[in-house]
Amino acid sequence: MRRRILAWVLLAGSACAAAPAFGQASAVESRVGKLESEMRAVQRKVFPGGAGQYLEPEIKPAAPEDIPGSPSGSPLSDLTARVNALESQLTGITGQIETTQHRTQVLEDAFNAYKRSTDARIKALEDAAGGAGAGSPAPIADTSDTPPPRAGGKPGAGVKQPAARPGKTAEAEDGAPPTTDPARQKQLAAIERPKTGDAAEDAYLYGYRLWQAKMYPEAEAQFKLVTATYPKHKRASYAQNLLGRSYLEDGKPSLASLAFYDNYKKWPDGERAPDSLYYLGQSLVRLGKPAADVCKVYRELEDVYGAKLSDAMKGDVTRAKAQSKCA
């Protein structure tokens, strides 16, 4: 009878001791299942399309230390160590993902800020070029568009031009507006038509001589002909710049500002693009635009072409900025 009672006591004690162990094992199994599910989700996000791909964890459970006199690790303690390592790995991967997302957001914000700044600068120039108003003229530096002189004569030396077809002047055929004023016709007839063998060069030089003779309407028509007919020739930039200067000297600063801006926009690498930005600022002064708008143009000129400006142009820009009180 005593033996049976002792056996029941021992069985009851074993059951009581196993109950906590069983509860701990169930809790650990639940944690393992949850972590494995989360790890699969993370791997699908980091490695899209890599079904079944598995990476060895960067953090592995530490090897159990053999302490003299201590019992060897149980399966439950080994499983707990693996769970802790898995949690550490998941935390590290999550941190890497968040860091990558932050860097991507920073790059997107920087690009959007650059785009807004560039769009604002272009819009400011377009708005300034399209404005109209009145104001006192500012002194204009004479940045020369003078072509090299021909051998045997000076630019503008007069010889009579070829006869025109009946009913039309030769200027009308080349793009200059026709005139019935005998005195003006005589003046036009005295302007030499170049014959260099380069049609674009000849057209530009003729327009330059018209401009030099202050025959602005005829010069403007000639420069428009050059830019429309020979847009890829180096003289297109020259012609567009002189078109703006002709307007400016003819008392048409609004048309001049548009011509100068078009040269900068259409031929930004042209030899007279920097000159056109400078004269765009001068046109805005004549239009009575705010100094802030004028200074934006000069800053654009220095930002884009600063290293390419001649010493004479740098001096002109410095004086112009001082007149407009640019910071």
Side-chain angles (χ1 to χ4, degrees), residues 203-222:
Y204 166 74
L205 290 177
Y206 182 59
Y208 171 80
R209 292 168 184 176
L210 290 169
W211 170 74
Q212 194 177 42
K214 301 187 184 301
M215 304 189 72
Y216 297 125
E218 293 83 358
E220 291 155 11
Q222 187 68 17

Side-chain angles (χ1 to χ4, degrees), residues 284-322:
L284 297 182
V285 171
R286 290 201 176 192
L287 286 167
K289 302 297 288 184
D293 293 342
V294 178
C295 294
K296 285 180 183 178
V297 175
Y298 293 141
R299 281 196 296 270
E300 183 82 1
L301 171 60
E302 292 178 326
D303 290 345
V304 178
Y305 301 109
K308 300 180 180 179
L309 297 180
S310 65
D311 292 339
M313 175 61 76
K314 289 178 181 177
D316 293 338
V317 173
T318 299
R319 286 187 291 272
K321 290 173 64 178

Side-chain angles (χ1 to χ4, degrees), residues 11-73:
L11 287 174
S14 300
C16 292
F22 178 76
Q24 292 177 7
S26 299
V28 171
E29 288 295 338
S30 175
R31 289 173 64 193
V32 171
K34 180 180 179 182
L35 287 172
E36 287 178 345
S37 176
E38 292 179 355
M39 183 60 68
R40 285 194 295 271
V42 170
Q43 288 182 337
R44 283 195 299 272
K45 183 173 183 180
V46 177
F47 307 104
Q53 186 173 2
Y54 175 75
L55 294 181
E56 287 292 333
E58 295 180 3
I59 303 175
K60 297 182 179 180
E65 298 181 1
D66 293 333
I67 303 174
S70 64
S72 60

Side-chain angles (χ1 to χ4, degrees), residues 101-121:
Q101 290 175 340
H102 175 69
R103 289 176 178 173
T104 302
Q105 186 63 46
V106 169
L107 288 175
E108 288 180 354
D109 292 343
F111 173 77
N112 290 332
Y114 171 77
K115 185 175 183 298
R116 287 193 299 269
S117 174
T118 302
D119 291 345
R121 289 171 63 187

Side-chain angles (χ1 to χ4, degrees), residues 31-32 35 38-39 59 80-94:
R31 289 173 64 193
V32 171
L35 287 172
E38 292 179 355
M39 183 60 68
I59 303 175
T80 302
R82 290 176 59 192
V83 170
N84 292 335
L86 194 58
E87 286 178 337
S88 299
Q89 181 187 6
L90 180 59
T91 301
I93 291 177
T94 303

